[in-house]
Amino acid sequence: MRGAAASLIARCARRAPGAVESPGIGALAARRSHGTASHGSGGVRPDHLTRTAGEPREDIVSDAKLIAVHEETPTVRELVLEVSDQAFTFRAGNWVDFFIDGCPKIGGYSMCSTPSELPKLRLAVKRSLHPPAAWCHSEACAIGAHVQMKAGGKFCWDPAGYAERSAEHLLLVAGGIGINPLYSMAQAALLAPRSSFPQLRRISLLYSASRPSELAYRLHLEELARGDERLRLSLRVTRNDGAEQEPWEGLTGRVGVAELRAALSEESAGSKVVSYVCGPPAMTDALVDVLRSELGLPKEMVRSEKWW
């Protein structure tokens, strides 16, 4: 490990989950985001370190080797990595700081795999001009390439958490590439022994993408739903029109209050619901407000993460 990646990793303070953010990473984020506007104040993409400066991070920075590459959708590439450090860990829904040697920016990508798959770890990266994402979609991102990763985030499904252990209904709402952490959570919840979560009767996943071909992991999600009656899928597309229209007989339009109310009504009134929302900022903010204000879910039971 050398160059820019080594320098950035050295300046990211190591600390345990839940600890107060150290000055090191916050200062680094501030310096690296000089001139970067937050969402809604000029449209410039916020830096990953800026957005996550107050988030908990695991202690370990691990090397990882790329062992497989798969084009999951026309614009999303899945990377399968083998993590070197056996102490590396994460919770379903977490992300990694993604260090690429020679890249001037740090990527931030949610795991779409589960902790039980370690040392293998899967990331799905949307194509963009942002340097880390551009690298992930370049010829340099090939089998045998090495990167470094540090797991973090408070957005997670924690099997030991009170809300998770008491929930009767797990409601997941994803927009676009926001499916990644929720896909990880859904898999983790379905893999957990039923004896450990006997009260969990329903897992609802409402997932929208621009076109049918952009519904990442659609086939596996449908397979999971066929294999476990607790999982209910609602897949929809939002911009499948024009000359490039694709065959689709499913739902269309964005997720809104009617769709959320219908998902909640699948369980009896008074059921304990914990909800996770992940997608573009405007969508995430709007749906969190609906769940809390219009549909009456307690604030602490509605968790969200925004991805730009």
Side-chain angles (χ1 to χ4, degrees), residues 4-301:
S7 175
L8 290 171
I9 292 173
R11 299 179 73 175
C12 285
R14 296 188 174 191
R15 59 195 178 85
V20 176
E21 182 65 51
S22 70
I25 195 168
L28 175 60
R31 286 193 289 273
R32 294 187 60 77
S33 63
H34 178 68
T36 301
S38 61
H39 181 81
S41 57
V44 180
R45 181 191 180 102
D47 184 90
H48 168 65
L49 290 185
T50 303
R51 298 198 308 269
T52 63
E55 298 274 333
R57 282 171 163 81
E58 296 285 347
D59 288 340
I60 303 300
V61 177
S62 178
D63 290 339
K65 179 181 178 181
L66 188 61
I67 59 174
V69 178
H70 168 66
E71 306 302 328
E72 178 59 30
T73 81
T75 64
V76 174
R77 173 175 279 191
E78 182 188 72
L79 312 183
V80 183
L81 300 121
E82 187 170 64
V83 180
S84 299
D85 196 320
Q86 293 183 355
F88 182 95
T89 188
F90 68 94
R91 294 179 176 88
N94 283 169
W95 39 255
V96 289
D97 298 325
F98 194 75
F99 303 91
I100 305 162
D101 197 31
C103 183
K105 292 283 187 179
I106 298 173
Y109 306 115
S110 294
M111 276 69 77
C112 49
S113 52
T114 64
S116 64
E117 296 176 52
L118 287 169
K120 289 185 179 179
L121 181 150
R122 294 181 288 126
L123 304 173
V125 181
K126 182 86 170 177
R127 182 187 298 125
S128 80
L129 296 178
H130 192 244
W135 181 89
C136 290
H137 283 264
S138 73
E139 293 182 358
C141 182
I143 293 174
H146 287 263
V147 297
Q148 294 79 40
M149 298 185 298
K150 183 180 182 73
K154 59 186 178 183
F155 186 70
C156 66
W157 186 80
D158 183 359
Y162 171 77
E164 289 85 344
R165 297 193 68 84
S166 63
E168 298 168 296
H169 187 183
L170 176 60
L171 175 61
L172 309 172
V173 188
I177 200 62
I179 187 61
N180 286 354
L182 305 188
Y183 178 49
S184 176
M185 291 181 194
Q187 293 175 93
L190 291 169
L191 285 170
R194 291 203 186 198
S195 58
S196 299
F197 298 90
Q199 76 293 335
L200 182 59
R201 299 191 300 267
R202 178 73 66 237
I203 302 171
S204 301
L205 174 57
L206 283 61
Y207 174 26
S208 63
S210 58
R211 297 177 182 278
S213 61
E214 291 294 346
L215 287 165
Y217 302 110
R218 174 187 170 190
L219 294 180
H220 188 223
L221 286 168
E222 291 174 338
E223 179 184 343
L224 291 173
R226 287 192 296 269
D228 194 315
E229 76 284 354
R230 294 175 298 172
L231 179 60
R232 299 288 180 88
L233 293 180
S234 176
L235 307 178
R236 55 182 55 238
V237 298
T238 59
R239 296 198 301 273
N240 188 36
D241 51 23
E244 298 181 358
Q245 185 173 10
E246 301 172 7
W248 178 251
E249 297 180 356
L251 299 170
T252 59
R254 301 183 186 279
V255 175
V257 62
E259 290 74 26
L260 293 174
R261 182 176 285 112
L264 291 174
S265 69
E266 291 181 353
E267 284 297 305
S268 59
S271 294
K272 294 181 180 178
V273 180
V274 60
S275 177
Y276 295 82
V277 183
C278 187
M283 169 202 141
T284 302
D285 287 342
L287 296 184
V288 166
D289 184 63
V290 166
L291 286 166
R292 290 175 176 169
S293 300
E294 294 192 45
L295 300 180
L297 294 190
K299 181 178 180 180
E300 66 276 12
M301 293 299 189

